[in-house]
């Protein structure tokens, strides 16, 4: 079993004499270390007594975040069918329209106690050279981040550990390879497979011989950027999240690494005019001022990952605009291209902000300048905003007004797909059907769609001369087969149990034609 626990940690609850110099937001309560130890132990004992997870059973499982575990974390909020309501460990009122942001803890049945000793041994070996006590595994929990106290925004499995060297503290370690939501698995699978198929060598990134730059717009609980940072040791990540309460929840209770955090603020002059955006450092919980002991614990638990992930509390539109304006020198800008971009941003009503897919908006205009011109790949999570066509509509070919059957379902989704393609693959630069590709894959279980825009791919580039005269359906099938084959290679390179193959082709559709906003939004 591959050990990954050393990739992250976090002080969740402090002992009396909290080091924090930053005012906390409205938590529901604070636990002392002793209370935290008892709480974690109690919740884990309840689950482990069920006796349904054996070592032999675990060896047969393919994915750590398989859907069969969902009853453990789904919860009973809003009358849902989960096993329990969990215990609320964080609660804060959002100032960005996301309502009450909360985190609940739920017992996890895996890994089983027999496997804890292996993790402890690995951590203790890292500590041996430093002489700073020994880590002890307390147990594992699911943590669920919710908007409006109901909508499940993110799910993560965390490991709770403590150090027997005073001062005693409890740390949470989010498990980077445990992805619970299917749409996150889809984004990772299709995004990494696509950029690899475009000729980008991910094997070099895993061996730290090539530096990869990744931008994630939207943090949530942090499962997507943490998977990337853990499995791509040569990658550096910029993570942008507009809601400070979400960042606080992720770092303090979801086991996301306490990495460097900045806040992008717009200063207002005495004349009431908005001046240049400036970045100032801000780390929740005073982690930058933590003592020597705390720093050593972080080094043991995180290794070098802390230095490769940076979180920005900022509006995604303002962030990319700020980068472009600071890097006006074209030569400097070319060295700062993003190879891969993930956009997973929703508001409290579960809607993608319009500014992130407006055709003439600042976000896409500046993202176009920051994306690598040869292999740059963008993956966008979109949620369906209208029901799929009925059987009658499919049979007759007569669809309701504004619905384009060649695109993903939903009027707004159709416009978003066309907008990303048109802005990031503009025909005036020579990029178009023969020098770039936009396509979507479906996430049927959640009603989501993963949109992919690649500057390094086209369907025609993967066909021989005889195939170019064949029907488009056959051409598409040939491309899908190549993408599936690439997905197996990428999964092997990353050495992950996440099944990329089955997620890169579900509901595959090429974004074709140039659909005008008037047609889509009528």
């Amino acid at each position: 079993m591959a050990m990954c626990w050393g990739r992250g940690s976090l002080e969740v609850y402090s002992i009396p004499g909290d080091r924090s110099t930053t005012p906390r937001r409205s938590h529901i309560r604070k636990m002392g270390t002793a209370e935290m130890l008892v709480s974690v132990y109690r919740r884990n004992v309840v689950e482990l007594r069920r006796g349904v997870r054996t070592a032999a059973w675990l060896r047969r499982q393919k994915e750590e975040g398989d859907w069969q575990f969902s009853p453990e974390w789904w919860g009973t909020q809003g009358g849902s069918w989960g096993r329990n309501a969990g215990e609320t460990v964080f609660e804060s009122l959002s100032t960005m329209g996301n309502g009450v942001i909360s985190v609940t803890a739920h017992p996890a049945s895996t890994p089983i106690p027999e496997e804890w000793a292996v993790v402890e041994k690995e951590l203790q070996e890292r500590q041996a050279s430093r002489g700073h006590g020994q880590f002890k595994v307390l147990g594992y929990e699911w943590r669920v981040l919710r908007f409006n106290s109901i909508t499940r925004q993110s799910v993560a499995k965390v490991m709770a550990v403590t150090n027997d060297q005073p001062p005693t503290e409890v740390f949470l370690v989010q498990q980077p390879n445990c992805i619970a939501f299917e749409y996150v698995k889809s984004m990772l699978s299709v995004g990494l497979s696509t950029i690899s198929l475009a000729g980008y060598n991910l094997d070099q990134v895993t061996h730290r011989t090539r530096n990869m730059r990744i931008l994630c717009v939207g943090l949530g609980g942090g499962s997507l950027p943490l998977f990337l940072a853990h499995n791509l040791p040569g990658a550096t990540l910029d993570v942008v999240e507009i809601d400070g309460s979400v960042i606080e929840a992720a770092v303090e209770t979801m086991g996301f690494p306490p990495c460097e955090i900045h806040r992008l603020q717009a200063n207002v002059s005495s004349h009431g005019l908005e001046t240049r955006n400036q970045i100032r450092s801000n780390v929740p919980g005073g982690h930058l001022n933590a003592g020597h002991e705390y720093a050593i614990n972080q080094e043991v638990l995180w290794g070098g990952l802390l230095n490769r992930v940076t979180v920005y509390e900022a509006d995604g539109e303002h962030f990319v605009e700020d980068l472009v304006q600071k890097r006006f020198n074209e030569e400097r800008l070319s060295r700062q291209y993003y190879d891969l971009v993930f956009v997973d941003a929703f508001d409290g009503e579960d809607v993608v902000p319009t500014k992130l897919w407006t055709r003439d908006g600042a976000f896409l205009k500046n993202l176009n300048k920051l994306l690598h011109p040869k292999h740059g790949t963008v993956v966008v999570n979109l949620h369906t905003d209208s029901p799929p066509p009925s059987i009658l509509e499919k049979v007759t070919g007569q669809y309701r007004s504004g619905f384009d059957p060649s695109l993903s379902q939903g009027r707004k989704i159709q416009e978003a797909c066309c907008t990303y393609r048109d802005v990031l693959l503009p025909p005036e630069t020579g990029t178009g059907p023969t020098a770039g590709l936009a396509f979507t894959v479906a996430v049927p279980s959640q009603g989501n769609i993963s949109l992919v825009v690649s500057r390094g791919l086209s369907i025609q580039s993967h066909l021989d001369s005889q195939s170019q005269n064949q029907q488009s359906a056959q051409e598409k099938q040939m491309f899908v087969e190549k993408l599936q084959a690439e997905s197996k290679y990428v999964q092997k390179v990353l050495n992950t149990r996440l099944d990329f193959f089955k997620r890169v082709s579900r509901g595959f559709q090429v974004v074709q034609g140039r659909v005008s906003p008037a047609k889509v939004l009528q």
Side-chain angles (χ1 to χ4, degrees):
M1 178 177 179
M3 294 295 105
C4 57
W5 324 124
R7 298 300 182 121
S9 74
L10 162 66
E11 178 189 0
V12 185
Y13 302 101
S14 302
I15 61 173
D18 191 352
R19 292 189 301 261
S20 176
T21 59
T22 303
R24 295 174 181 263
R25 293 180 173 87
S26 54
H27 293 278
I28 193 169
R29 60 188 170 84
K30 292 182 183 179
M31 284 186 179
T33 300
E35 185 182 0
M36 177 63 176
L37 296 176
V38 173
S39 178
V40 172
Y41 175 77
R42 174 174 54 80
R43 288 195 292 268
N44 275 272
V45 166
V46 170
E47 187 65 32
L48 292 170
R49 282 179 176 174
R50 295 178 181 270
V52 297
R53 311 302 189 197
T54 64
W57 182 89
L58 286 171
R59 284 194 294 270
R60 295 195 297 269
Q61 306 313 303
K62 294 183 178 181
E63 295 182 1
E64 297 178 42
D66 193 90
W67 182 250
Q68 63 187 313
F69 295 108
S70 60
E72 298 180 8
W73 54 260
W74 189 261
T76 58
Q77 289 80 349
S80 294
W81 46 266
R83 184 173 292 170
N84 55 71
E87 181 175 349
T88 303
V89 294
F90 178 92
E91 195 170 63
S92 176
L93 181 62
S94 169
T95 60
M96 303 305 300
N98 291 322
V100 176
I101 295 175
S102 63
V103 176
T104 54
H106 306 257
S109 61
T110 60
I112 58 178
E114 287 81 356
E115 296 176 321
W116 299 2
V118 179
V119 181
E120 290 177 351
K121 181 179 179 181
E122 179 184 342
L123 294 176
Q124 291 166 7
E125 288 176 350
R126 299 182 190 178
Q127 290 176 298
S129 60
R130 298 173 176 85
H132 285 272
Q134 292 184 330
F135 278 118
K136 178 72 175 178
V137 176
L138 303 176
Y140 293 78
E141 289 185 340
W142 295 102
R143 293 293 174 98
V144 183
L145 173 67
R146 288 180 171 85
F147 287 175
N148 296 314
S149 296
I150 297 294
T151 304
R152 297 166 194 82
Q153 204 283 334
S154 186
V155 177
K157 181 182 285 187
V158 300
M159 176 183 67
V161 298
T162 186
N163 190 351
D164 63 1
Q165 182 76 16
T168 303
E169 296 174 308
V170 177
F171 299 82
L172 291 185
V173 183
Q174 184 176 143
Q175 304 304 283
N177 285 320
C178 184
I179 308 296
F181 277 156
E182 186 63 28
Y183 83 86
V184 179
K185 298 176 184 179
S186 175
M187 294 180 72
L188 289 168
S189 300
V190 73
L192 293 171
S193 299
T194 298
I195 195 171
S196 179
L197 187 59
Y200 193 87
N201 194 324
L202 291 176
D203 186 55
Q204 292 178 346
V205 182
T206 62
H207 289 88
R208 297 184 175 89
T209 59
R210 183 172 190 173
N211 182 39
M212 184 179 192
R213 297 194 70 244
I214 302 175
L215 171 65
C216 297
V217 180
L219 171 64
S223 57
L224 189 148
L226 189 56
F227 178 93
L228 294 167
H230 172 79
N231 290 285
L232 297 170
T236 56
L237 285 84
D238 292 336
V239 184
V240 183
E241 170 59 53
I242 193 173
D243 197 327
S245 294
V246 172
I247 297 176
E248 185 178 9
V251 174
E252 295 205 8
T253 60
M254 297 290 287
F256 190 76
C259 53
E260 185 176 356
I261 299 175
H262 298 278
R263 179 173 295 144
L264 185 65
Q265 289 189 326
N267 294 329
V268 180
S269 68
S270 59
H271 299 288
L273 300 176
E274 187 176 20
T275 58
R276 281 300 317 127
N277 292 327
Q278 295 183 0
I279 296 178
R280 68 178 177 83
S281 177
N282 177 66
V283 179
H287 291 302
L288 288 183
N289 299 321
H292 181 62
E293 298 288 341
Y294 183 83
I296 291 179
N297 285 331
Q298 298 294 354
E299 183 181 352
V300 171
L301 291 164
W302 285 99
L305 187 145
L306 284 173
N307 300 321
R308 297 189 291 107
V309 180
T310 305
V311 175
Y312 296 88
E313 183 181 340
D315 183 297
E317 182 181 37
H318 296 163
F319 177 80
V320 295
E321 183 179 16
D322 185 79
L323 285 185
V324 170
Q325 292 188 12
K326 285 187 174 182
R327 300 169 184 174
F328 59 89
N329 183 286
E330 290 297 328
E331 181 179 355
R332 182 183 180 187
L333 181 62
S334 66
R335 296 195 301 267
Q336 301 296 326
Y337 285 133
Y338 285 113
D339 303 298
L340 186 58
V341 177
F342 290 91
V343 181
D344 181 21
F346 289 82
D347 59 22
E349 298 181 355
D350 206 22
V351 176
V352 179
T354 304
K355 66 173 65 178
L356 297 184
W357 56 273
T358 301
R359 189 174 295 268
D360 299 322
F363 176 74
L364 282 177
K365 179 181 68 175
N366 289 297
L367 182 61
N368 181 48
K369 299 177 182 178
L370 294 171
L371 188 64
H372 197 283
K374 293 184 178 180
H375 57 253
T377 301
V378 176
V379 185
V380 188
N381 177 35
L382 298 171
H383 190 73
T384 55
D385 57 0
S386 69
S390 65
I391 296 178
L392 180 60
E393 287 176 319
K394 292 180 179 179
V395 171
T396 62
Q398 300 297 318
Y399 298 92
R400 60 190 176 277
S401 177
F403 186 86
D404 185 344
S406 68
L407 295 176
S408 308
Q409 52 185 292
R411 298 184 183 184
K412 292 182 180 179
I413 284 186
Q414 292 177 24
E415 171 60 9
C417 292
C418 291
T419 298
Y420 268 86
R421 178 207 55 203
D422 294 350
V423 175
L424 300 181
L425 306 178
E428 59 270 17
T429 62
T431 306
T434 60
L437 181 65
F439 64 91
T440 62
V441 294
V443 189
S445 60
Q446 291 187 275
N448 289 60
I449 287 170
S450 297
L451 166 67
V452 181
V453 181
S454 171
R455 288 180 168 175
L457 289 180
S458 70
I459 286 184
Q460 287 82 355
S461 66
H462 291 81
L463 304 175
D464 56 39
S465 58
Q466 294 181 352
S467 300
Q468 293 182 17
N469 297 322
Q470 297 178 357
Q471 298 178 354
S472 59
Q474 183 178 357
E475 296 174 349
K476 182 175 71 173
Q477 181 60 34
M478 294 180 65
F479 176 82
V480 170
E481 291 174 357
K482 288 184 177 293
L483 187 60
Q484 288 177 321
E486 194 71 18
S487 71
K488 290 184 177 181
Y489 165 75
V490 173
Q491 184 177 343
K492 182 178 180 181
V493 166
L494 300 185
N495 191 27
T496 175
R497 289 191 289 177
L498 193 64
D499 189 350
F500 285 13
F501 180 84
K502 69 180 183 181
R503 296 183 171 96
V504 299
S505 60
R506 292 181 303 193
F508 180 95
Q509 289 185 342
V510 176
V511 181
Q512 297 174 339
R514 299 279 165 179
V515 180
S516 67
K519 176 181 178 181
V520 173
L521 299 178
Q522 63 184 352

